[in-house]
Amino acid sequence: MEPRLRPLRQLAFGLLAAALLVCGPWVGWWTLAPLLGAGIAFTLTDRGLESSGRPEYRLAAAWCVAELAIAASVALTGGPHSPALAWIVLPVVTLPARFDRRGVLAGSALAGVLILASSLGVDPAAVIADPASVVFALALLGAIALLSVALMHSDLQHRRESVIDPLTSMLNRHALNGRVDELRDQARVVHQPVGLIVGDLDHFKQINDTHGHATGDAVLRDVAYSLRKCLRAFDLAYRLGGEEFLVLLPGADPDQAAHVAEALRATIDAGQPGGLAVTMSFGVSASPPDSFDYNEVFRAADAALYAAKAGGRNRVEVAGAIPVR
């Protein structure tokens, strides 16, 4: 989300700076200094973000600097009398795009403390005499935090639904597209192959025709669970559609991928997905080291799958070596 927020954040800083410039004769020009400091903090954060091992810490630090800068501007422009008091709430809007619920709560708490510090700390008597501006700012803070969290959950649910197959809870084709690009770059960096397995349930149409689609769905859910259970944490399984599944194996050559495929085949054959005796055929291929061409590797694995079907089903077929390009 940070690359998406960056241009909007820069525009927001520009709007705040413009407001301070216009009001400079009344509130003072020094209020631009804290805003400039916040801009520099985010600029430095952006430069090292992609290479950082813990980018969330860098973002949190820059966010805190921005909040402190706004609070300083509020304090310099009159504390509880400042027209910028509610500005402290603005950065809270961006929290759900970067952090989980704990991060939102922590950031909201910091914003609340800064509202009190920049008002009560500057002129406590004025706040006690007329607390309306502070109370309104705190109420705005709470409302923004609640609405932002609700929007965050809605966005996460939408993104989850866009990449997760609702029947099997496996990743779908949409998720596969993004992962392919990552694996291509990864293979080039680590100089390792990428194994690919295509699996297809045998005689699945007969299951639907004989036992009904509800049983067919139960079979697919159980098969998906069995496949995931056999894989390593960084191996990813996808439902391509219907009864066809795909597995990506980073770092696996054809022999290693075939070993995994045989384990998957044996697991399905020995189990009772949906309470039925079910078998599955697999086609296996792998890229050369340094060069993962998904379309080429998939075509080879798909051809091997057809060979497995033609060879009697419930078996694993391995494609020939893919030449280095």
Side-chain angles (χ1 to χ4, degrees):
M1 288 298 282
E2 186 60 23
R4 297 183 181 182
L5 287 173
R6 188 176 300 129
L8 298 177
R9 185 188 67 231
Q10 292 169 347
L11 180 59
F13 272 125
L15 290 173
L16 297 182
L20 292 174
L21 283 171
V22 170
C23 297
W26 296 276
V27 300
W29 306 106
W30 58 83
T31 55
L32 288 168
L35 194 64
L36 177 62
I40 293 174
F42 272 109
T43 299
L44 295 175
T45 297
D46 290 340
R47 289 180 179 177
L49 193 62
E50 294 184 359
S51 60
S52 173
R54 300 304 297 268
E56 66 274 22
Y57 290 169
R58 298 176 66 92
L59 288 172
W63 187 91
C64 290
V65 169
E67 278 286 46
L68 290 169
I70 295 174
S73 295
V74 170
L76 291 172
T77 54
H81 308 290
S82 172
L85 181 61
W87 286 10
I88 297 176
V89 179
L90 285 175
V92 175
V93 177
T94 66
L95 285 173
R98 298 177 174 127
F99 307 105
D100 59 12
R101 185 188 298 271
R102 290 175 301 174
V104 174
L105 290 175
S108 299
L110 174 61
V113 169
L114 291 177
I115 289 174
L116 295 174
S118 61
S119 56
L120 278 170
V122 173
D123 192 348
V127 175
I128 294 172
D130 183 8
S133 60
V134 175
V135 171
F136 287 175
L138 291 173
L140 178 63
L141 170 63
I144 291 295
L146 290 173
L147 292 173
S148 297
V149 169
L151 291 173
M152 174 189 68
H153 286 304
S154 176
D155 179 61
L156 289 174
Q157 180 67 20
H158 174 72
R159 280 187 278 173
R160 182 182 185 278
E161 290 175 352
S162 70
V163 298
I164 299 294
D165 173 58
L167 176 62
T168 62
S169 296
M170 298 184 81
L171 296 168
N172 60 20
R173 282 182 180 271
H174 184 74
L176 175 63
N177 294 335
R179 183 58 173 158
V180 164
D181 294 336
E182 293 174 3
L183 285 177
R184 183 182 60 247
D185 296 337
Q186 178 181 322
R188 190 180 301 118
V189 172
V190 301
H191 309 294
Q192 290 183 343
V194 178
L196 189 150
I197 301 171
V198 180
D200 190 272
L201 289 169
D202 298 325
H203 304 297
F204 184 70
K205 184 177 183 301
Q206 293 181 12
I207 294 174
N208 280 330
D209 293 343
T210 303
H211 301 279
H213 288 279
T215 300
D217 288 349
V219 169
L220 290 172
R221 283 193 293 267
D222 290 350
V223 166
Y225 174 76
S226 297
L227 294 178
R228 290 196 301 266
K229 187 172 62 174
C230 289
L231 297 173
R232 300 169 297 183
F234 53 87
D235 297 330
L236 292 177
Y238 302 82
R239 185 187 179 199
L240 296 182
E243 66 273 24
E244 190 173 18
F245 298 85
L246 180 144
V247 178
L248 291 172
L249 304 170
D253 59 26
D255 290 339
Q256 293 168 324
H259 179 76
V260 174
E262 178 56 33
L264 297 176
R265 185 207 63 78
T267 297
I268 302 301
D269 188 31
Q272 290 279 314
L276 301 175
V278 176
T279 63
M280 196 169 184
S281 300
F282 294 89
V284 176
S285 183
S287 71
D290 304 338
S291 176
F292 176 53
D293 184 330
Y294 170 78
N295 291 327
E296 190 172 20
V297 177
F298 176 80
R299 280 194 295 268
D302 198 43
L305 173 61
Y306 276 100
K309 294 284 189 180
R313 294 183 171 83
N314 192 24
R315 56 186 294 149
V316 174
E317 288 287 342
V318 182
I322 296 177
V324 179
R325 295 185 183 279

